[in-house]
Amino acid sequence: MNACPPEPGRPVHGTLYDDMTELPDTSIREEPIPRQEDENHPADDAVWLGKADWIALAVALGLAVLVRAVYLVQSLHWPYLDQPISDAALYVDRARGVLAGYWPAHNMAHSQGPLYPYLLAAVLAITETWRLLLYAQMAIGCASVALVYLIARRGGNTLSAVLATLLCVAYGPLVANEGKLLTESLATFLSLLAVYGLVRQIDAIRWGWIAVIGIALGAAAGLRPSYLMVVPLAAAWVGWRHRRIGGRPLLAAAVMAALAALMIAPWTYQNYRAERVFIPISSAGGITFFLGNNPTAAGTLSLGGVLSGGVGTQNEEQLARAEAVLGRKLNSAQASSFWYKRALRFIYEHPRWWAWIMWRKLRLHFSSVEVANVYSFHVERSVIPVLWVLAVPFGLIGSLGLVGLVLSARRPAAHPILILLGVGLLTCMVFYTSSRFRMPTVPLMAILAGWGVQRAIAWWTEGRRTKTLAALGATLCLTVLMLWPVGGPLPSPMLFGKRNLALMLGRAGEPDRGRAILQSQLQPDVPIDDRGEAYLALGRLESDQRRYPEAITALTKALELDPRNFAPYRDLAKANYEFGRYSQAADNARALLDKNQRDIECRVILGRCLARQKRWAEAVAELEKAAQLAPSNPGVLYYLGDAYMGLHQYDKAIEAFRQSSRHTENVDIMISLAYCHAQINQRDQARAILARILARDPENRRAKALVQKIGGLAPRGR
C-alpha cells in the first residue's frame, strides 16, 4: 500500500483510521537547546551567570570593600594619603597649574601621560583636596575585582573565577597603590575593561563594546602612553577573529582605532601647538629608554650620571644635557631621539653587558621583589597591619599565571589577555622594571592562574594524573625561582622607602619621627650611596621645618659623600637663600645650572639672589631666561616684574605683573602692579586695583599705605 503516513494529531478518512475521530499528538517537538558553555564559546549573557556566581561575586566584592576600608582607617595614622611625593607631588603641582592656567606649558610638549593631572584638577576644583580621588580609586579598584571575576568566568568556570578574584583581593600592592596619587589603579581598571570588551567579541561583533574598548584604551594611553601599542594589536585581533564570521570586522577594527585616536587627539594637538612636531602623547620615550639601558643600569631605573633624580626637573635636565652635547637648541622630539641613539650606541658597543641588563629586567619582572621608585610597599606593609594580611606574593600569582598561560593559550578568551601581557612585558624589557609598571598585568596573570587550575583539576578528574603532576611541578619550580632573592646591584626598598616616609612625616608635622627614622641610615656602616641619600633627605626635612643651618650642614654632607649627585645643589641654593646667605645661594644655583641650563627653579633663585644684592640688571637677565623657559609661570613672571621695578622700568614691570595675575589672584602681585601704575602717574588704574584689594581685605596695610600715598581712592577734584 502506497499510502503516505498520516499527519500526527489529524483525523484520517478512507483508511484504517476512519474509526478514530481524534488521535493523540505523539510527535517529538524540537525544543531550543540551551547553549553549552565551554572554553572556546562563552555562554550567552542570559544564562552564563548562575546563582552560585552571583553569590561568589558578592562575597568577593565584599572582601574587596572590607580590605580597602580597613586600609583607609589604618592609613589615617600615617602620611601616605595626604603627603604626596615624587610623581604624586608632580601630579598635584600640575593639577594646580591646570586650575591656574599655566599648565601645560605653551612652549613644551608633554613629558608624561597628561590625563591624570586633569582628573586631579577636576577633583581639586570640586573639593580642594585630593582625598575624593583616592576614594574614587578605591571604588574603581573594587570594580576591577568584579571585572576579574567576569573575565575569568566567561573563559572558565566558577572555581577559576573565584580563584582569580581571591588572588587579586589578597595581593597587597594593588590595594596600597589605590591609596596613592598614581596612575596605575586607573590604568588597571581600563585595561581590564578593554579585555572584557574584547572577550565579548569572540562570537560576534558587539558595537557598543567596540566603542568601550577604543575609549578605554585611548584613556589608558593618556595615563600610561605604552597602552598605545595595544590599540593596533587589539584591532588586528578583532579583524582576524571575525575574518570568516562576517559582521564587518575591518569596520569594527577601524572604529576601535579611531575612538582611541580621538581620546589622545587633545594631547597630540597640545604637543603640536607647543613645538610644531608630531608627538602623539609624551616625549619621554628617549630618556626613559636611556635610563633603563646605560652603563650604570641593572634592570631598574638608573640615572646614568646625567640626571639628578628630581621628577619635576627630569624633562628640563634631559633637554639641557642633550643640547649641551650637540651644541644647539633642540625640541622635545629631537632630544628624545638623541637619548634613543645614545642608549642604542651603548647596546651596540657592549652587547654582553646589555644582555646581562636584559636578564636582570626579566628576572626582576617575574620576581616577588616589589621594586620601588616612588613608594616602597615593604615599608608601608611594616606600618599598616592589613597589608600583612594581604600576603599573597607576586611569585605565587606569577607562577600560577605562567602555567595557566601555557595551559589556556588556545582559548579565544585568553588572546586579549596575551596581548596586554605582551605589551606590559615588552614595556618593562625595553625600558626598565618597576613594581608600579607591572601592576596592571597582575590581575591578568590571576585570571590565567584560575584557568590553569581549572584545567589541572579537569585532568585529575579524567585520570590524566601525569599531566596534573607536571603542571604542579612546573608551578612549584617557578614559585621557588620567583621567591628566590635576585641578588646583584639592587637599591634597598626598605632604605629607600624609609627615607621617603621620613620626608612625609616631616611635612605632616612630625619631624622628630622623621629624624628618628633617618638616623639609622646615617651610620658609617651604611653603604655610601644610601648614606648620601639619607643626608639629602635629612636636609630636605630640615628645610621644610625652616631649620636652615641644620639643613645646610646635612646637604653639604650629602654632596661630600656623593659628588656625582648634583641634586643637593638645588636644595642648598634654596636653604642658603632662605637663611640670607645670598652669595652662597647664588654659587649653589650656578653649580647646578652648569649641569642643567634649563633648571627654572635655580635660575629664579639666582635671579632673586642678584636682586637682593641690588644687582638688578643681572637679576633681570637671569629671570628673563627663566621666563623664556616658563612663559606662563606666575612666580617667574612676578619675580621678573620685581626686578624690572629695581631698574625703574615700570612699563615692563606692569606687563610682567599683568601676565602673572592672569594665572593667580595674588595680593602681592596686585599691590606691585598698583605701585608701578602710580610710579608712572597712572593713578586711576592704581586706585582701581587697590579698591579691589581693599574690598576683599579692608585691613591690608600695604594697600592702605599705598592708597594714602596716592591721595586716596577718589581722584582729586571729584
Side-chain angles (χ1 to χ4, degrees):
M1 185 167 62
N2 295 327
C4 295
E7 296 182 19
R10 177 179 178 181
V12 181
H13 301 281
T15 66
L16 61 91
Y17 298 100
D18 284 347
D19 59 339
M20 297 183 180
T21 59
E22 184 175 2
L23 291 177
D25 186 358
T26 58
S27 63
I28 300 176
R29 297 176 180 174
E30 291 188 2
E31 297 290 342
I33 300 174
R35 169 88 169 274
Q36 295 299 313
E37 170 188 0
D38 60 40
E39 63 188 34
N40 294 317
H41 300 283
D44 292 332
D45 296 340
V47 297
W48 76 291
L49 283 180
K51 182 178 180 180
D53 290 303
W54 289 111
I55 293 174
L57 182 55
V59 171
L61 284 175
L63 289 174
V65 171
L66 176 63
V67 297
R68 284 159 176 79
V70 174
Y71 172 82
L72 284 174
V73 171
Q74 294 179 347
S75 296
L76 295 176
H77 304 291
W78 296 90
Y80 288 103
L81 298 177
D82 298 320
Q83 299 299 328
I85 57 171
S86 191
D87 291 53
L90 180 63
Y91 291 140
V92 172
D93 289 341
R94 289 179 173 176
R96 289 171 175 162
V98 171
L99 296 177
Y102 63 84
W103 192 88
H106 300 310
N107 63 339
M108 186 75 69
H110 292 295
S111 59
Q112 288 182 325
L115 178 57
Y116 198 81
Y118 282 97
L119 296 176
L120 182 54
V123 172
L124 293 178
I126 297 171
T127 66
E128 297 184 359
T129 177
W130 50 78
R131 280 286 188 93
L132 180 61
L133 181 56
L134 297 181
Y135 299 152
Q137 289 179 177
M138 291 285 182
I140 289 172
C142 295
S144 296
V145 170
L147 282 172
V148 167
Y149 187 95
L150 296 176
I151 295 168
R153 183 64 181 86
R154 291 194 72 88
N157 58 18
T158 301
L159 175 63
S160 63
V162 168
L163 177 61
T165 306
L166 290 179
L167 288 174
C168 290
V169 170
Y171 183 61
L174 282 175
V175 178
N177 190 267
E178 292 165 12
K180 312 292 186 299
L181 293 175
L182 299 173
T183 62
E184 280 66 35
S185 59
L186 300 182
T188 299
F189 169 76
L190 291 170
S191 64
L192 287 170
L193 186 62
V195 168
Y196 182 69
L198 288 167
V199 170
R200 295 295 304 273
Q201 308 301 314
I202 289 176
D203 289 328
I205 293 176
R206 292 174 170 83
W207 292 98
W209 282 105
I210 288 290
V212 169
I213 296 165
I215 293 171
L217 291 178
L223 297 168
R224 306 294 309 177
S226 59
Y227 279 96
L228 201 57
M229 293 187 288
V230 179
V231 176
L233 296 174
W237 181 80
V238 170
W240 173 82
R241 176 70 187 169
H242 295 279
R243 67 194 185 282
R244 296 176 182 173
I245 299 176
R248 300 182 179 178
L250 293 181
L251 178 60
V255 169
M256 182 193 305
L259 287 172
L262 188 63
M263 291 296 295
I264 69 169
W267 324 131
T268 307
Y269 170 73
Q270 287 178 351
N271 292 336
Y272 183 79
R273 184 188 64 181
E275 300 198 45
R276 300 300 180 192
V277 292
F278 177 73
I279 299 174
I281 300 176
S282 76
S283 62
I287 187 60
T288 308
F289 183 62
F290 175 80
L291 295 178
N293 302 273
N294 65 71
T296 65
T300 61
L301 170 67
S302 173
L303 300 178
V306 300
L307 298 181
S308 66
V311 176
T313 59
Q314 175 178 297
N315 191 48
E316 290 77 12
E317 288 178 9
Q318 61 95 10
L319 271 169
R321 295 301 292 267
E323 290 174 343
V325 172
L326 297 180
R328 57 187 175 88
K329 187 175 179 59
L330 303 175
N331 60 40
S332 295
Q334 292 168 332
S336 183
S337 176
F338 168 83
W339 292 111
Y340 272 120
K341 292 176 181 178
R342 187 163 178 174
L344 290 171
R345 184 167 65 248
F346 161 73
I347 293 170
Y348 177 77
E349 294 175 354
H350 305 281
R352 294 179 62 184
W353 195 341
W354 179 69
W356 176 80
I357 293 173
M358 295 298 287
W359 163 248
R360 290 274 300 178
K361 291 178 185 178
L362 184 65
R363 183 74 177 84
L364 288 168
H365 186 77
F366 290 105
S367 167
S368 281
V369 175
E370 300 294 340
V371 178
N373 66 348
V374 177
Y375 296 93
S376 171
F377 175 73
H378 298 276
V379 173
E380 191 171 1
R381 184 175 59 182
S382 69
V383 299
I384 298 180
V386 71
L387 296 180
W388 275 107
V389 179
L390 307 179
V392 171
F394 179 82
L396 178 61
I397 299 175
S399 59
L400 287 171
L402 289 177
V403 173
L405 185 152
V406 174
L407 299 185
S408 60
R410 297 182 63 183
R411 302 185 186 207
H415 298 166
I417 293 178
L418 297 182
I419 291 173
L420 270 293
L421 284 178
V423 169
L425 176 61
L426 180 65
T427 301
C428 289
M429 294 298 292
V430 169
F431 300 106
Y432 56 83
T433 297
S434 165
S435 175
R436 280 177 60 204
F437 299 157
R438 80 177 178 191
M439 194 165 296
T441 67
V442 172
L444 304 177
M445 296 291 282
I447 294 169
L448 293 176
W451 290 344
V453 170
Q454 174 191 348
R455 175 60 64 87
I457 292 175
W459 281 343
W460 185 268
T461 56
E462 293 168 3
R464 303 161 75 177
R465 308 295 171 82
T466 303
K467 286 189 173 182
T468 304
L469 293 175
L472 178 60
T475 302
L476 290 175
C477 291
L478 287 171
T479 302
V480 171
L481 180 62
M482 292 183 185
L483 294 174
W484 198 267
V486 176
L490 185 66
S492 168
M494 290 297 291
L495 297 179
F496 170 83
K498 286 184 176 181
R499 290 194 291 268
N500 284 339
L501 178 58
L503 281 174
M504 289 188 286
L505 286 169
R507 293 167 185 170
E510 300 183 81
D512 291 337
R513 290 177 67 189
R515 295 186 191 101
I517 289 174
L518 289 174
Q519 283 303 316
S520 62
Q521 297 190 38
L522 304 179
Q523 306 306 315
D525 58 336
V526 176
I528 191 168
D529 288 344
D530 285 310
R531 198 159 18 119
E533 291 291 337
Y535 273 108
L536 176 58
L538 179 61
R540 289 172 174 171
L541 186 151
E542 300 293 6
S543 288
D544 290 339
Q545 305 306 311
R546 301 181 183 275
R547 291 162 48 100
Y548 298 114
E550 292 82 356
I552 292 168
T553 300
L555 293 168
T556 303
K557 184 67 174 179
L559 273 176
E560 292 174 359
L561 290 171
D562 189 4
R564 300 169 301 170
N565 184 3
F566 50 92
Y569 282 118
R570 183 183 300 106
D571 297 280
L572 269 173
K574 290 189 287 186
N576 276 313
Y577 177 85
E578 296 295 340
F579 195 47
R581 300 170 60 179
Y582 302 122
S583 296
Q584 293 89 332
D587 291 340
N588 298 145
R590 289 190 183 98
L592 193 139
L593 289 170
D594 288 340
K595 301 284 187 179
N596 176 17
Q597 288 291 317
R598 286 178 169 266
D599 193 293
I600 299 170
E601 187 173 11
C602 277
R603 188 73 67 183
V604 170
I605 291 174
L606 178 56
R608 294 178 69 187
C609 289
L610 294 170
R612 289 286 186 175
Q613 297 170 319
K614 308 299 182 183
R615 297 161 62 179
W616 299 110
E618 297 174 70
V620 165
E622 295 297 336
L623 291 166
E624 283 179 340
K625 292 178 183 177
Q628 290 174 1
L629 295 170
S632 56
N633 187 298
V636 173
L637 293 170
Y638 171 72
Y639 294 124
L640 177 59
D642 189 62
Y644 281 134
M645 285 174 59
L647 288 176
H648 305 292
Q649 296 179 0
Y650 297 110
D651 290 335
K652 292 183 177 180
I654 288 172
E655 181 60 27
F657 289 137
R658 280 179 176 168
Q659 292 183 30
S660 180
S661 64
R662 291 173 187 168
H663 306 294
T664 179
E665 287 288 333
N666 185 283
V667 173
D668 292 334
I669 297 174
M670 302 302 291
I671 290 176
S672 297
L673 183 58
Y675 176 84
C676 290
H677 279 298
Q679 289 298 112
I680 58 176
N681 207 27
Q682 295 178 351
R683 300 198 171 189
D684 288 342
Q685 292 91 324
R687 291 187 178 100
I689 295 170
L690 292 170
R692 281 162 41 199
I693 296 173
L694 291 172
R696 298 178 184 177
D697 181 12
E699 301 303 321
N700 189 292
R701 294 182 179 181
R702 293 180 61 197
K704 291 170 71 175
L706 188 53
V707 167
Q708 186 176 4
K709 182 177 180 180
I710 63 175
L713 291 177
R716 292 183 180 180
R718 295 187 185 180

